[in-house]
Amino acid sequence: MPYHYDHILIRYGELSLKGKNRKNFIQKLKDNLKKALAGFPDLEYVTEYDRMYLYLHGHELDPVCGIVGKVFGISSFSPAIKVEPTMEEILGGVEHLLDLSTPKTFKVQARRHDKLFPVNSDTINRTVAGMILRGSDWKVDVHNPEVLIMIEVRQDAAYIMTDKIPGAGGFPVGIGGRAMVLLSGGIDSPVASYLMMKRGVHIEAVHFAAPPYTSADAREKVLKLAKLIAPYQGDIVVHVVPFTTLQLAIYKNAPESYAITLMRRMMMRIATGLAQRRHCLAIGTGESVGQVASQTLESMYVINNVTNMPILRPVVCMDKVEIINIARKIGTYETSILPFEDCCTIFTPKAPVTKPKLEKCEEYEKRWDWKEMVEDCINMAETIRITPAETIDEDEDLF
Ligand code: ATP
Ligand code: MG
């Protein structure tokens, strides 16, 4: 009767950190895993300097692995069985774990973390391999084995594993601070959000809606996208900004060709205001150089000019196909291509300026009192916390 895996061994991601930073990394990863695995209450988490162990305590392996694979900060993980740190127990564990009835090629790779363990790695490898060779038709292949038997011997236990599953990489979300991401209903900004989270940045989202020009369906689509990316950081706060009044004022006061540029400047101002209230240190967008008129360097220059905050643009130099590939991988693509209008698509001018001038923007903006409108947008933003499982409406006391 083969053993059932009772543990998952987790290897940390880019962990060149030392001292306190390392402690923070590990603690954050543990917190994030606990949040993501809240549906598995019996799991036990044991953290060590270079590994984390999840004790399944009867929970099924596959659904837990499915979630572990999405949590950032993990380079790889392996289902494992835990045995006493003795040669006898290790041999017994390997024998029970493997189904030796069909011939396969294999390699044993032992690591002795506990240097006081009386048998060295090489001898463990040879002893385990010898037992398998004697009891089956299995053959050793050190270069390209079908089954890699990994054994880690520690002071209190030995772990036996046969799979190494790639983790999501990156840093645990939250150790990189917070950013306010402009989330549209398109393909690019959900991908940009994902990439920021991957580098450890906890994100909040701001979405600009222009009812009645944009529909309830368009709004729902954005909330759905937020729900799809929420599992990567646990939950996500979305601010929906009522943008209609400001947008109409732009159309009334500026030439059509500058409408998109001015709209983007207003979006940046509002995002900056929200970011400050929410203690974010950066703004994020899904802009990509040259993709559309408002994403030339000239446009970015005048749009960037209204804020002092760093703007993170993770997809700025990616081709559309590359962005789409990530969108498919993270499961947002199908939702992003649903044909609901965005506030930008409705007000898109026939001939938007591709090389806007800063002086012109400033000149047009002198024509009306937009500051109050920007303030109103910030104050009237509807704040919604989205968890992977449910949606809770919240009020201003989130600020
Ligand atoms: P996306 O696929 O992210 O919508 P896009 O290729 O359609 O990007 P634009 O529509 O020019 O490009 O938008 C550029 C960026 O501006 C978006 O990636 C997003 O960050 C932000 N943005 C655009 N429209 C909105 C909106 N209605 N609400 C919030 N952010 C927006
Ligand atoms: Mg868009």
Side-chain angles (χ1 to χ4, degrees):
M1 160 77 185
Y3 263 87
H4 285 299
Y5 289 113
D6 51 11
H7 280 74
I8 299 173
L9 177 148
I10 291 174
R11 299 172 191 88
Y12 303 138
E14 246 176 79
L15 189 44
S16 50
L17 308 163
K18 296 254 161 11
K20 191 158 173 281
N21 287 339
R22 188 178 186 106
K23 250 176 123 176
N24 287 346
F25 181 113
I26 296 169
Q27 185 59 46
K28 199 76 189 173
L29 178 59
K30 185 173 163 187
D31 292 347
N32 292 353
L33 275 167
K34 278 189 170 173
K35 234 196 231 177
L37 291 164
F40 303 87
D42 297 331
L43 290 178
E44 187 183 331
Y45 303 75
V46 179
T47 51
E48 285 185 17
Y49 186 74
D50 58 345
R51 297 274 188 270
M52 190 186 303
Y53 301 94
L54 283 191
Y55 191 176
L56 290 169
H57 282 298
H59 285 301
E60 266 188 64
L61 177 72
D62 287 350
V64 175
C65 283
I67 293 174
V68 170
K70 283 191 171 180
V71 175
F72 293 125
I74 295 173
S75 71
S76 67
F77 58 100
S78 297
I81 57 167
K82 181 180 179 180
V83 298
E84 292 294 315
T86 65
M87 262 331 279
E88 200 184 351
E89 287 283 324
I90 291 170
L91 288 169
V94 172
E95 197 176 8
H96 280 95
L97 189 61
L98 301 177
D99 175 5
L100 295 172
S101 57
T102 28
K104 291 198 172 133
T105 59
F106 75 100
K107 174 184 175 181
V108 186
Q109 192 177 68
R111 278 181 68 185
R112 191 178 51 146
H113 293 264
D114 175 18
K115 298 295 176 215
L116 295 177
F117 189 70
V119 188
N120 69 22
S121 307
D122 212 37
T123 312
I124 301 174
N125 287 342
R126 276 188 283 112
T127 312
V128 172
M131 176 193 75
I132 296 172
L133 291 170
R134 276 193 302 279
S136 70
D137 294 331
W138 284 38
K139 291 201 165 50
V140 173
D141 180 346
V142 288
H143 299 297
N144 202 9
E146 287 170 272
V147 182
L148 177 65
I149 302 157
M150 293 165 281
I151 301 167
E152 290 203 9
V153 186
R154 304 206 158 232
Q155 214 168 356
D156 61 331
Y159 294 86
I160 305 165
M161 301 152 278
T162 54
D163 281 314
K164 198 170 192 174
I165 305 164
F171 292 108
V173 177
I175 60 164
R178 288 151 73 92
M180 183 66 69
V181 179
L182 279 73
L183 187 66
S184 68
I187 297 167
D188 306 330
S189 44
V191 171
S193 305
Y194 164 84
L195 292 172
M196 279 179 241
M197 293 191 271
K198 185 169 182 198
R199 293 309 289 174
V201 177
H202 185 98
I203 66 154
E204 293 201 1
V206 51
H207 176 68
F208 297 88
Y213 302 98
T214 57
S215 64
D217 284 343
R219 175 195 148 97
E220 284 311 308
K221 174 182 167 182
V222 172
L223 296 182
K224 168 100 187 285
L225 287 169
K227 207 182 186 76
L228 289 171
I229 55 174
Y232 292 102
Q233 65 173 23
D235 54 15
I236 184 169
V237 168
V238 182
H239 307 274
V240 181
V241 171
F243 202 42
T244 318
T245 311
L246 191 42
Q247 224 170 357
L248 292 175
I250 294 171
Y251 270 81
K252 195 164 146 230
N253 291 295
E256 210 188 83
S257 60
Y258 266 73
I260 294 279
T261 312
L262 295 189
M263 204 173 77
R264 290 262 186 268
R265 282 164 61 89
M266 296 301 169
M267 284 183 176
M268 278 302 161
R269 291 178 170 121
I270 295 164
T272 302
L274 283 169
Q276 282 161 350
R277 286 196 187 190
R278 302 286 299 166
H279 309 294
C280 298
L281 290 176
I283 289 172
T285 76
E287 289 165 295
S288 173
V289 173
Q291 208 185 71
V292 289
S294 63
Q295 297 179 23
T296 61
L297 283 186
E298 288 84 355
S299 288
M300 285 189 194
Y301 175 77
V302 299
I303 293 164
N304 220 140
N305 205 266
V306 301
T307 183
N308 285 326
M309 284 202 153
I311 301 181
L312 307 182
R313 301 180 174 92
V315 303
V316 75
C317 292
M318 285 189 193
D319 291 346
K320 196 76 190 184
V321 240
E322 294 174 284
I323 302 173
I324 288 174
N325 283 342
I326 301 176
R328 285 191 200 278
K329 190 180 97 183
I330 64 174
T332 53
Y333 182 73
E334 296 302 326
T335 305
S336 288
I337 57 172
L338 292 174
F340 300 125
E341 69 295 334
D342 185 52
C343 65
C344 310
T345 47
I346 285 185
F347 292 93
T348 305
K350 279 171 222 79
V353 58
T354 53
K355 295 185 177 179
K357 299 271 175 299
L358 185 56
E359 316 80 66
K360 288 217 166 145
C361 294
E362 287 170 348
E363 183 193 320
Y364 301 138
E365 285 173 357
K366 283 203 186 94
R367 294 182 183 171
W368 87 103
D369 184 12
W370 51 264
K371 285 202 179 107
E372 203 174 322
M373 291 184 178
V374 164
E375 272 307 304
D376 284 348
C377 282
I378 296 169
N379 291 329
M380 283 156 59
E382 180 193 0
T383 299
I384 304 163
R385 183 187 296 276
I386 293 179
T387 66
E390 61 194 314
T391 305
I392 311 158
D393 278 303
E394 307 225 4
D395 41 42
E396 303 84 79
D397 63 38
L398 261 178
F399 285 109

